Amino acid sequence: MVDSVYAGGTLGHSGDDPIGKLLPGTGNQGGFRYAGSPSKGTVRLAVLYTSGGAVDWPDHLDTETGTFTYYGDNRTPGKGLHETPRKGNVLLRDAFAHSHGSAHERASGVPPFLLFEKAAPGRAVRFRGLLAPGGPTLAPDDELSAIWRTTGTQRFQNYRSRFTVLDQASIPRTWIRHVLAGGSPLEGECPEFWRTWVESRVYRPLLAPATTVIRSAVQQLPDDPAGQAMLAAIREYFRGHETDFEACAVAIWRLIAPATGTVDVTRPSRDGGRDAVGSYVLGPSAAPISIDFALEAKCYDPDNSVGVREVSRLISRIRHRNFGVLVTTSHVNRQVQSEVHEDGHPIALVCGRDITNALKQHGRTTPAAVREWLQQGFPRVQ
């Protein structure tokens, strides 16, 4: 059942892991678990397990869109992309290749992927859904890409893969047993949307729009030490030069909204309440349209929230068919969020946690990496 927690044992060893009992033959350790052999192309069913603790490899589930980002198992220098003990990257390579083939290739070459994540207490796990490689809005190059990382002075590659969580609230145990026994995945009470994907490569994602419109201060700030340190690094870099944060805020917004077009960072002496003005591009590249926006940046400490005054100034400068963006290293107070939501103001509120999430998703996962990014992109003027 999606989002159900399955308890582990209490003996204090790998035998406590519940996945091996839920899915016999897939193993009880590692991020990649499967029945069959990736090297021989005989994997019948695969499990992707994420602990959420790999700072340099931030697996991420977007519950609103159903997109799941997962990193491969070549995470240290010294080995080739596919030369890993568990052959997880071989499994990814072949599954994504077969996903673009015929229905027969998908049925025979793409095993069902089941996503589990670490839960509490102990070795408990939470089931997050049935995955299909790729996504309805992803280009092939975005679905599976080999990315470079550096440890010390050594460079190496690993896969970044993107899956879609299919709209299946439960996975029949009879189907799991059938698949593990070597039966066709399109038989034995096959889930409807897995069959649809295999036969036509049409995705039916599990969409779960957020019901929480107003976020607390805690929800707007990073809850992990690495994220808190990353945000602190940004604040310290611009300490005493807060107006220089404007260009950084634009770069952060580009990470969140890649279709952002040209942006002009206005001078502090004449900004009129707008730290930047720009355009957001929609439509095909041959005939695009642009929507203008105004951006305001606030490099605040975590105990200093953005209040009504700052947002009112931004609201007053939004013209018809324009929108506003507010980027802060802190959080936005509850009253501001309520007014923006209830009055329907077209303003995107980007807070501290949004900033660190965007940086992590683009490979900046440590304070040192963030400082390097700042020094390269926004050098100090001597």
Side-chain angles (χ1 to χ4, degrees):
M1 298 292 297
V2 167
D3 281 353
S4 289
V5 173
Y6 296 87
T10 58
L11 299 178
H13 54 65
S14 59
D16 292 342
D17 186 274
I19 295 177
K21 298 178 177 64
L22 288 169
L23 305 165
T26 60
N28 58 11
Q29 296 185 65
F32 287 92
R33 311 183 191 190
Y34 42 76
S37 168
S39 299
K40 297 178 181 179
T42 59
V43 175
R44 301 183 297 280
L45 183 141
V47 170
L48 300 184
Y49 171 76
T50 178
S51 66
V55 175
D56 291 333
W57 308 99
D59 302 330
H60 176 70
L61 173 61
D62 186 332
T63 54
E64 293 195 38
T65 65
T67 301
F68 176 61
T69 302
Y70 194 72
Y71 289 86
D73 58 353
N74 190 37
R75 302 191 173 190
T76 56
K79 290 190 171 103
L81 180 60
H82 303 111
E83 298 171 0
T84 59
R86 292 286 295 169
K87 300 298 180 185
N89 280 356
V90 171
L91 175 60
L92 290 177
R93 178 197 65 191
D94 294 345
F96 277 83
H98 288 303
S99 76
H100 287 277
S102 64
H104 174 73
E105 288 178 285
R106 283 189 291 275
S108 60
V110 183
F113 285 84
L114 302 178
L115 172 60
F116 289 85
E117 68 179 11
K118 180 178 175 59
R123 296 293 290 264
V125 298
R126 186 186 305 275
F127 177 58
R128 299 298 258 163
L130 173 62
L131 303 175
T137 62
L138 296 173
D141 289 347
D142 295 327
E143 294 180 352
L144 183 69
S145 55
I147 60 174
W148 287 95
R149 286 286 189 270
T150 301
T151 294
T153 60
Q154 295 181 287
R155 294 168 294 178
F156 64 104
Q157 282 185 304
N158 194 18
Y159 275 136
R160 180 179 61 206
S161 59
R162 291 194 168 99
F163 292 80
T164 295
V165 180
L166 299 180
D167 190 7
Q168 297 287 162
S170 63
I171 310 301
R173 189 169 298 279
T174 51
W175 182 62
I176 292 173
R177 292 196 193 101
H178 174 78
V179 171
L180 288 173
S184 168
L186 296 182
E187 299 172 354
E189 293 190 50
C190 172
E192 175 188 356
F193 293 135
W194 179 258
R195 181 188 303 278
T196 298
W197 181 80
V198 169
E199 293 179 344
S200 61
R201 207 172 186 272
V202 171
Y203 294 86
R204 295 288 187 267
L206 177 58
L207 305 177
T211 58
T212 303
V213 177
I214 308 301
R215 293 188 285 179
S216 68
V218 171
Q219 292 172 324
Q220 294 180 68
L221 294 170
D223 60 355
D224 61 300
Q228 293 164 3
M230 290 165 60
L231 214 53
I234 296 175
R235 296 190 193 99
E236 289 306 314
Y237 188 80
F238 293 105
R239 185 79 65 188
H241 305 273
E242 280 76 10
T243 56
D244 293 344
F245 175 66
E246 297 162 359
C248 178
V250 172
I252 290 167
W253 174 245
R254 285 190 186 278
L255 296 180
I256 296 171
T260 298
T262 58
V263 179
D264 176 35
V265 178
T266 56
R267 296 178 182 176
S269 59
R270 59 178 179 84
D271 66 2
R274 296 180 298 180
D275 295 325
V277 290
S279 60
Y280 187 81
V281 182
L282 300 170
S285 58
I289 60 172
S290 296
I291 300 175
D292 292 336
F293 67 88
L295 181 146
E296 188 151 345
K298 298 299 175 187
C299 190
Y300 285 175
D301 287 328
D303 57 352
N304 183 14
S305 68
V306 174
V308 173
R309 180 179 60 83
E310 295 96 325
V311 177
S312 295
R313 188 173 71 165
L314 179 59
I315 291 172
S316 69
R317 286 162 174 81
I318 297 176
R319 302 293 180 247
H320 182 54
R321 294 181 180 174
N322 291 178
F323 68 96
V325 177
L326 187 139
V327 180
T328 178
T329 54
S330 179
H331 59 280
V332 180
N333 72 32
R334 183 174 294 273
Q335 180 182 351
V336 169
Q337 295 180 75
S338 296
E339 291 183 4
V340 167
H341 174 64
E342 292 171 3
D343 296 340
H345 295 300
I347 294 180
L349 301 174
V350 180
C351 59
R353 184 178 295 196
D354 301 323
I355 291 173
T356 57
N357 285 345
L359 289 169
K360 288 177 181 178
Q361 288 303 304
H362 287 81
R364 308 292 180 174
T365 60
T366 65
V370 170
R371 282 190 288 268
E372 180 184 18
W373 177 70
L374 293 169
Q375 291 163 1
Q376 292 175 348
F378 318 99
R380 284 272 183 258
V381 178
Q382 302 296 330

